[in-house]
Amino acid sequence: EAQVTQNPRYLITVTGKKLTVTCSQNMNHEYMSWYRQDPGLGLRQIYYSMNVEVTDKGDVPEGYKVSRKEKRNFPLILESPSPNQTSLYFCASSLSWGRVTGELFFGEGSRLTVL
Amino acid sequence: ILNVEQSPQSLHVQEGDSTNFTCSFPSSNFYALHWYRWETAKSPEALFVMTLNGDEKKKGRISATLNTKEGYSYLYIKGSQPEDSATYLCAFTDSGYALNFGKGTSLLVTP
């Protein structure tokens, strides 16, 4: 089954404790992206990747890191989480040849709470 | 950050009513406009990706139009059903590299 898998789905952590949210897709998609969803705001892009070893900042990259060492995986790293990073996070992927021409396929979301 | 506006913010209709929403985006440097349907506790799912001015797309009772020159897209739902209740998101890209989402229109359809 074609899917985007995120883990963990739910996490409560404390300020400063490094964490990684994993994202994996099995559709051989080139494009992958991370978004956060906060009440009253639209989905905001954190980082995106056009292909392996190619990543770029979205609109709200502060406090986050990403890597794209393999085509299928695009982990989101919070080196020192803070309460303002409490949010619902979505990973998404798309089949593309340099640009997002196709629809995004979203993971199920990861709800993160930073105390 | 590119400004993508959706209206109305929320909508409550009766089963069988037809309805429509608007997505407004910058009219310069258009690349693509996406529509997604997002049900509570689920992930957003794509409805349409539109790339050409004048595009019209249809999926069942849902259709969309695109006017890139004036910077808007309409999403129409004909004969709304309770299962259409969801948040409808549009997303705009001027480069093809980054998508900018609107805040969505929340639709509630009651029997």
Side-chain angles (χ1 to χ4, degrees), chain A residues 1-7 21-34 49-52 67-75 90-96 103-108:
Chain A
E1 180 189 353
Q3 58 186 4
V4 179
T5 303
Q6 296 179 225
N7 279 296
V21 186
T22 63
C23 175
S24 181
Q25 50 90 9
N26 62 1
M27 296 170 279
N28 202 36
H29 284 174
E30 293 184 355
Y31 181 92
M32 297 185 75
S33 182
W34 277 102
S49 169
M50 301 305 297
N51 213 326
V52 175
S67 68
R68 187 91 181 274
K69 293 184 171 57
E70 305 167 278
K71 198 171 188 178
R72 63 183 294 126
N73 296 324
F74 191 44
F90 284 103
C91 178
S93 71
S94 177
L95 184 65
S96 70
E103 62 191 86
L104 285 178
F105 291 82
F106 283 85
E108 293 179 304

Side-chain angles (χ1 to χ4, degrees), chain A residues 31 35 37 40-43 45 48 50 59 90 98-104 106-108, chain B residues 1 31-32 34 36 38 42-44 46 49 89 93 95-103:
Chain A
Y31 181 92
Y35 296 87
Q37 167 69 34
L41 300 174
L43 284 166
Q45 192 168 40
Y48 62 94
M50 301 305 297
D59 296 324
F90 284 103
R99 289 193 171 189
V100 182
T101 54
E103 62 191 86
L104 285 178
F106 283 85
E108 293 179 304
Chain B
I1 298 177
Y31 192 83
H34 295 218
Y36 292 85
W38 189 7
K42 294 188 178 180
S43 309
V49 177
L89 301 171
T93 177
S95 65
Y97 297 106
L99 276 175
N100 296 273
F101 280 83
K103 295 179 183 179

